[in-house]
Amino acid sequence: MPELLMGILLVIANLVLFLALAPFFDGIVRRVMARVQSRQGPPLAQSYYDLLKLLGKENIDSTGILPFRLAPLVAFASMLCVIAILPVAGRATALTPYADAISLVYLLTLGGVAVLLGAFASKNIYALIGASREMTTMIMVEPILFMILMMGVLKTGSLDLTAVIYGTPSAGFGWPGVVMIVVSLFALQAFVARQPFDIAEAEQELLGGPFIEYSGPNYALFKYYMMLKQMFYAYLPIAMFVPLIHSGYFIADLAVQMLLTALVFLLIGLLSATHPRYRIDQAIRYFAVLFVIALCAIGAAVIF
């Protein structure tokens, strides 16, 4: 019973941690982008204000059909499920044993599918163009994510999330693992849909793309979903490739990981501010190169 109670508390702690910090980290990216471009930028808490403002607005349903209304809920719920099954600083939550690396990829893909569902249901031409770009990005990016997790599976010999995410550094991932670290860093901007890979939203071109018809609480759910997704992808390479300090204190281990995650967000902000948006054909070529490199790393890990 004490173990079960601790596992439940870890689920709650993980959810609270991500829900509380994701808008703050988003604010870091916005502030860094502004400062690099010689602007004052919004306060770090601006993302919290944006969410609260949207939650107080009215939902405008331009279609009247169920998929349009369900899409934000499905996307947000999928990320909550990802966070609930995610081990915390090397410790499994009460829900981690009921999932594995494949379940993680499935839930992350489900969120992207929900975005596509809402965009197609809106019948807005800008949303449809954004959805087509989002679909292309998903087709190229999701296999790279799968291969990053597969490296952990090969090195630990397990699909268990705790082993895959936190056991990879101690398994001695060798040079194929080093190559995969580089791949994960180069794919990071695409994972979090930040410049130069904010192709689907492209506010200057598509006015928000898949989210153009959404407003009020529904749009707030989508924005929160994107922030949580961004934090997860920033946290993943830290958890998979940086060993825990094993201080003996759970809070200390977790604090170090969150600090490193914040540094990843600084990198995201710097890259977003200094790189123009790619065209979809440029992004496809970029993803293709990363895919081939990641595939070679997986092949080397199998052989060696």
Side-chain angles (χ1 to χ4, degrees):
M1 183 61 70
E3 290 186 7
L4 177 60
L5 179 59
M6 179 59 68
I8 294 173
L9 290 176
L10 286 175
V11 172
I12 297 172
N14 224 14
L15 288 170
V16 170
L17 186 70
F18 271 75
L19 289 170
L21 289 182
F24 175 74
F25 287 147
D26 185 69
I28 290 177
V29 175
R30 296 171 68 176
R31 175 63 70 87
V32 171
M33 288 178 62
R35 290 302 174 86
V36 171
Q37 296 168 354
S38 300
R39 297 184 288 111
Q40 177 66 29
L44 292 176
Q46 185 61 50
S47 296
Y48 296 103
Y49 303 148
D50 292 344
L51 290 173
L52 290 173
K53 183 176 180 180
L54 285 170
L55 289 172
K57 297 287 186 179
E58 178 187 0
N59 267 331
I60 298 177
D61 188 347
S62 60
T63 66
I65 59 177
L66 187 60
F68 182 82
R69 296 192 294 269
L70 285 181
L73 295 172
V74 173
F76 187 68
S78 70
M79 275 313 301
L80 291 183
C81 290
V82 168
I83 296 166
I85 65 174
L86 192 66
V88 189
R91 299 188 184 184
T93 70
L95 298 177
T96 303
Y98 298 97
D100 55 24
I102 297 176
S103 304
L104 187 66
V105 175
Y106 169 79
L107 288 170
L108 290 168
T109 304
L110 178 61
V113 171
V115 173
L116 296 178
L117 181 68
F120 287 130
S122 70
K123 301 180 182 178
N124 183 291
I125 186 62
Y126 292 111
L128 295 178
I129 296 173
S132 67
R133 293 182 178 185
E134 179 75 17
M135 187 183 303
T136 302
T137 304
M138 283 178 58
I139 292 171
M140 298 300 294
V141 169
E142 296 299 333
I144 296 174
L145 168 66
F146 180 77
M147 284 188 284
I148 291 172
L149 293 172
M150 184 56 64
M151 179 63 69
V153 172
L154 292 173
K155 290 301 180 181
T156 60
S158 173
L159 283 170
D160 179 74
L161 275 179
T162 307
V164 169
I165 294 179
Y166 289 101
T168 303
S170 60
F173 43 72
W175 71 263
V178 174
V179 172
M180 197 61 79
I181 293 172
V182 175
V183 169
S184 66
L185 291 176
F186 274 88
L188 185 60
Q189 297 295 111
F191 286 147
V192 301
R194 288 284 185 176
Q195 281 182 275
F197 296 105
D198 59 335
I199 305 169
E201 296 179 52
E203 288 87 352
Q204 296 87 346
E205 304 169 34
L206 303 181
L207 309 177
F211 312 118
I212 187 172
E213 290 292 337
Y214 282 96
S215 62
N218 280 341
Y219 187 41
L221 288 177
F222 266 137
K223 284 185 72 69
Y224 219 159
Y225 157 75
M226 295 298 293
M227 293 176 193
L228 292 171
K229 182 179 177 181
Q230 182 175 262
M231 182 173 173
F232 168 80
Y233 278 117
Y235 176 75
L236 183 63
I238 297 299
M240 280 199 67
F241 299 116
V242 179
L244 289 169
I245 61 174
H246 296 294
S247 65
Y249 298 96
F250 171 73
I251 298 298
D253 291 343
L254 184 60
V256 170
Q257 287 202 316
M258 288 299 104
L259 178 61
L260 293 175
T261 302
L263 293 177
V264 173
F265 270 92
L266 288 176
L267 175 63
I268 292 171
L270 288 172
L271 292 175
S272 298
T274 55
H275 287 73
R277 183 182 301 115
Y278 284 170
R279 299 193 310 268
I280 189 66
D281 60 314
Q282 293 174 320
I284 290 174
R285 288 196 295 269
Y286 185 92
F287 296 146
V289 172
L290 287 183
F291 178 83
V292 171
I293 295 174
L295 192 60
C296 291
I298 290 295
V302 172
I303 296 172
F304 301 109

